Amino acid sequence: SRVYIFSQVLSRGSDEGPSGVSVLLQPTGLTTVTGRGGNFEFRGVPQGEYTLSVSHPVWSVPKDVVPVVVKDDAVRGVK
C-alpha cells in the first residue's frame, strides 16, 4: 500500500515557509521543491523508513534531516 506525504518547511518564527526549498526523500531519490507557504508533497510512497532532507542554495536550514516512517497507511515523523 502507498501513501501521500504532505508537509511544510517552516520559516523560523512563522506559520509559513519559503518556496524554492529542495526536499529529498531518501532512499527513494524522489525530490520536490516547496511551493507557496513552504508546502511540499510526495505521492505513492510505499511502506518503509525514510529520511527527508531539505536544502537551499542561499539559506541555512537548522534541522535539515527528519526521519519518517510509513506504516499501515500512515506517516509518522512529519508534522
Side-chain angles (χ1 to χ4, degrees), residues 6-11 15-21 23 32-41 54:
F6 177 83
S7 194
Q8 185 179 35
V9 173
L10 296 174
S11 295
D15 291 337
E16 292 192 354
S19 60
V21 175
V23 183
T32 191
V33 176
T34 58
R36 190 167 145 213
N39 296 318
F40 69 90
E41 63 184 50
V54 298

Side-chain angles (χ1 to χ4, degrees), residues 5-70:
I5 297 174
F6 177 83
S7 194
Q8 185 179 35
V9 173
L10 296 174
S11 295
R12 189 179 310 202
S14 176
D15 291 337
E16 292 192 354
S19 60
V21 175
S22 297
V23 183
L24 171 65
L25 183 66
Q26 287 286 44
T28 67
L30 294 172
T31 61
T32 191
V33 176
T34 58
R36 190 167 145 213
N39 296 318
F40 69 90
E41 63 184 50
F42 290 100
R43 294 178 183 262
V45 178
Q47 291 190 41
E49 295 184 17
Y50 305 95
T51 56
L52 284 172
S53 301
V54 298
S55 63
H56 190 274
V58 176
W59 304 316
S60 65
V61 182
K63 187 174 184 180
D64 59 351
V65 177
V66 176
V68 176
V69 176
V70 177

